[in-house]
């Protein structure tokens, strides 16, 4: 009979890895991380974006280290962030010449909290193992963890060809897509074994195997989870823009998280031109919060609206309250411990408004079209006030702020 998962399965046991002072895996909650899209050599821009991502809730931030200028900038970026009070662990993303950059820039090797290597992009043939080994040895020397991050788009072609030949020789028991999935899993596992043989301990290794299709991602991670106890970084690569990226990432990662798979997540959204990079952090937080794994910001329950809400007051108030709460959270988390547990309801009319508002800590039921222009407010399940007039939205915002002060203030 089909098994329905009405609650998450027990979290898969993984070996915890310290990335700076953030633990990934083990008993730690699922960590949110993100990546900058600035030129790392542009110190001002990179510092600003790392700080913004961290303020938005990114607990680890990855930066591109692709050339000498970028590597030289890394320790300066770390120091500038520290002066701003931002101590988020920085991960260096290396491809092709990571071994050389780390050797030539010891300050960069020391400043980073983790190195990310893609086994498909460390060199060719005999150079590949040597260059991979050089990065691992640097990690051992500086006591840093490594993420072995395999990517569908840069899969080790020698390994793929070998597996395809083997499959063909056995009469093709696997489809071409199954062989590719197996190649990506094996690439991660073989590289992890190599790193351990060189001397990198298991508690310094995180694995990822990113692909761009939801079903492939699920299949690959289910297999990785079965065949190793390494901490796993989840991410759907090239997830895409707008709602497509959000939906695809949430579908894939939601299913894996429900099965107890995944120790850290990154939602890779293609930003709209001039768009806000912190959106990927918001989506990651909302995914974990919606599924009940972590609580980051107060929940605002809002009805979808219908023909009874022809004015825009209801939508504007729901959006304003949500934005205010999110914007204030970095400060409120310190000032009002536990505020992330708050539940606010903004409802469009009396049909479901009073009922939903009573279930929230503080809720308002706005007047729908044709109703008496008054809005009952419920606090802790009891009707506390009735707001009237054009100031309803402002008055409710003030009531929310007062409620937070009274309940969560020292
Ligand atoms: Fe429509 Fe009222 Fe239900 Fe909101 S609460 S969806 S306004 S009927």
């Amino acid at each position: 009979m089909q098994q329905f998962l009405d609650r998450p399965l027990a979290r898969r046991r993984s070996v915890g890895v310290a990335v700076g002072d953030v633990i990934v895996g083990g008993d730690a909650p699922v960590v949110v991380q993100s990546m900058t899209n600035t030129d790392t050599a542009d110190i001002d821009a990179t510092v600003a974006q790392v700080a913004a991502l961290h303020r938005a809730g990114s607990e680890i931030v990855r930066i591109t280290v692709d050339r000498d200028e970028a590597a030289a900038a890394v320790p300066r970026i770390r120091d500038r962030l520290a002066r701003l009070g931002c101590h988020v662990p920085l991960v260096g993303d290396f491809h092709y010449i990571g071994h050389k950059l780390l050797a030539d820039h010891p300050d960069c090797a020391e400043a980073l909290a983790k190195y990310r290597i893609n086994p498909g992009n460390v060199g060719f043939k005999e150079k590949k193992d040597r260059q991979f080994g050089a990065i691992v040895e640097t990690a051992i020397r500086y006591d840093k963890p490594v993420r072995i991050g395999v990517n569908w788009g840069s899969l080790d072609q020698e390994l793929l060809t070998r597996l395809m030949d083997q499959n063909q020789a056995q009469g093709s028991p696997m489809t071409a897509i199954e062989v590719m999935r197996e190649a990506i899993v094996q690439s991660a596992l073989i590289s992890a074994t190599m790193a351990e043989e060189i001397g990198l301990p298991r508690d310094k290794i995180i694995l990822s195997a990113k692909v761009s299709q939801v079903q492939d991602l699920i299949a690959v991670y289910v297999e990785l989870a079965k065949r190793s106890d390494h901490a796993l970084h989840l991410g759907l690569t090239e997830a895409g823009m707008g709602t497509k990226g959000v939906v695809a990432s949430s579908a894939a990662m939601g299913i894996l998280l429900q099965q107890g798979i995944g120790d850290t997540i990154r939602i890779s959204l293609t930003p709209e031109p001039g768009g806000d990079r912190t959106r990927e952090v918001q989506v990651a937080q909302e995914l974990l919060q919606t599924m009940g794994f972590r609580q980051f910001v107060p929940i605002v329950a809002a009805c979808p609206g219908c023909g009874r809400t022809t004015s825009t007051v209801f939508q504007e108030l729901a959006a304003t309250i949500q934005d205010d709460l999110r914007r204030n959270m970095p400060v409120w988390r310190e000032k009002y411990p536990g505020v992330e547990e708050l539940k606010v309801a903004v409802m469009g009319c009396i049909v479901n408004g009073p009922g939903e508002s009573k279930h929230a800590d503080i809720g308002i039921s706005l007047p729908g079209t044709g109703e008496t222009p008054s809005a009952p407010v419920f606090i802790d399940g009891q009707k506390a006030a009735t707001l009237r007039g054009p100031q309803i939205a402002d008055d409710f915002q003030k009531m929310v702020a007062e409620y937070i002060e009274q309940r969560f203030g020292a």
Side-chain angles (χ1 to χ4, degrees):
M1 198 168 93
Q2 176 73 43
Q3 182 196 8
F4 289 97
L5 301 178
D6 62 350
R7 68 192 65 126
L9 291 177
R11 182 102 168 267
R12 161 187 170 268
R13 290 294 305 176
S14 64
V15 178
V17 177
V19 180
D21 58 3
V22 175
I23 304 296
V24 174
D27 295 326
V30 180
V31 169
V32 170
Q33 62 175 286
S34 57
M35 183 174 185
T36 56
N37 62 355
T38 54
D39 175 1
T40 303
D42 182 342
I43 294 174
D44 289 346
T46 304
V47 166
Q49 196 174 74
V50 170
L53 289 167
H54 184 52
R55 251 194 327 275
S58 185
E59 294 160 304
I60 295 173
V61 177
R62 182 158 45 116
I63 58 179
T64 301
V65 188
D66 57 345
R67 61 194 200 279
D68 286 311
E69 291 81 354
V74 169
R76 295 175 62 194
I77 290 167
R78 190 263 323 258
D79 293 348
R80 285 264 300 275
L81 286 165
R83 285 201 292 278
L84 295 172
C86 174
H87 301 281
V88 66
L90 295 176
V91 179
D93 195 65
F94 294 99
H95 294 273
Y96 311 113
I97 55 167
H99 60 292
K100 191 168 177 323
L101 292 173
L102 285 166
D104 292 348
H105 298 272
D107 289 353
C108 168
E110 192 278 325
L112 291 168
K114 185 177 74 175
Y115 312 149
R116 183 269 167 130
I117 344 174
N118 177 340
N121 281 348
V122 285
F124 296 102
K125 298 193 183 295
E126 68 282 354
K127 277 189 182 169
K128 188 174 70 180
D129 291 353
R130 205 171 61 236
Q131 293 176 179
F132 178 85
I135 297 177
V136 170
E137 280 164 10
T138 306
I140 294 168
R141 193 169 333 120
Y142 288 93
D143 196 26
K144 305 288 182 182
V146 168
R147 169 159 70 94
I148 295 171
V150 182
N151 196 298
W152 192 254
S154 46
L155 186 54
D156 182 335
Q157 292 304 306
E158 290 168 44
L159 174 64
L160 178 61
T161 306
R162 193 166 68 242
L163 290 181
M164 286 205 159
D165 290 347
Q166 277 172 9
N167 188 51
Q168 204 172 22
Q170 290 162 4
S172 300
M174 291 196 279
T175 63
I177 199 79
E178 285 169 344
V179 176
M180 285 189 78
R181 289 172 179 174
E182 177 62 18
I184 204 165
V185 170
Q186 282 202 21
S187 179
L189 295 176
I190 291 169
S191 300
T193 303
M194 272 174 61
E196 286 183 58
E197 284 171 0
I198 294 167
L200 193 66
R202 288 178 89 68
D203 67 359
K204 294 283 182 203
I205 300 174
I206 296 173
L207 298 183
S208 68
K210 296 192 184 180
V211 299
S212 58
Q213 298 297 314
V214 170
Q215 298 299 341
D216 292 331
L217 192 89
I218 295 166
V220 161
Y221 272 92
V222 164
E223 205 55 32
L224 261 186
K226 261 193 241 157
R227 285 154 69 172
S228 92
D229 63 357
H230 289 296
L232 295 180
H233 164 128
L234 301 188
L236 187 75
T237 193
E238 291 104 33
M241 296 181 83
T243 53
K244 189 260 174 194
V246 173
V247 171
S249 293
S250 304
M253 285 185 235
I255 288 168
L256 289 166
L257 291 166
Q258 186 77 354
Q259 295 182 40
I261 298 171
D263 300 297
T264 176
I265 64 171
R266 185 208 169 191
I267 304 279
S268 306
L269 298 180
T270 307
E272 309 288 340
D276 183 358
R277 189 69 169 176
T278 62
R279 181 155 160 68
E280 66 174 49
V281 177
Q282 187 182 332
V283 173
Q285 287 188 333
E286 282 177 3
L287 174 61
L288 292 175
Q289 180 157 336
T290 302
M291 294 190 71
F293 292 110
R294 294 187 65 182
Q295 193 79 28
F296 296 97
V297 287
I299 290 172
V300 178
C303 75
C306 66
R308 296 174 68 94
T309 51
T310 47
S311 97
T312 56
V313 174
F314 152 69
Q315 293 99 316
E316 282 163 9
L317 181 58
T320 305
I321 295 286
Q322 179 82 70
D323 291 350
D324 266 9
L325 291 170
R326 188 168 281 284
R327 194 178 50 252
N328 285 317
M329 275 314 281
V331 174
W332 284 1
R333 229 176 252 121
E334 307 290 322
K335 196 172 167 191
Y336 303 122
V339 68
E340 61 274 8
E341 303 289 336
L342 179 76
K343 292 186 182 65
V344 183
V346 180
M347 300 295 288
C349 79
I350 55 163
V351 172
N352 292 316
E356 193 67 47
S357 298
K358 281 182 197 166
H359 288 122
D361 295 314
I362 177 164
I364 187 168
S365 174
L366 285 156
T369 309
E371 290 174 18
T372 323
S374 63
V377 174
F378 295 83
I379 292 181
D380 296 331
Q382 303 295 322
K383 187 169 168 188
T386 300
L387 302 179
R388 291 188 177 83
Q391 302 295 323
I392 285 179
D394 289 348
D395 291 347
F396 183 65
Q397 264 181 279
K398 277 188 210 127
M399 290 184 78
V400 171
E402 281 165 17
Y403 181 84
I404 289 171
E405 173 66 42
Q406 273 168 23
R407 177 161 161 200
F408 301 100

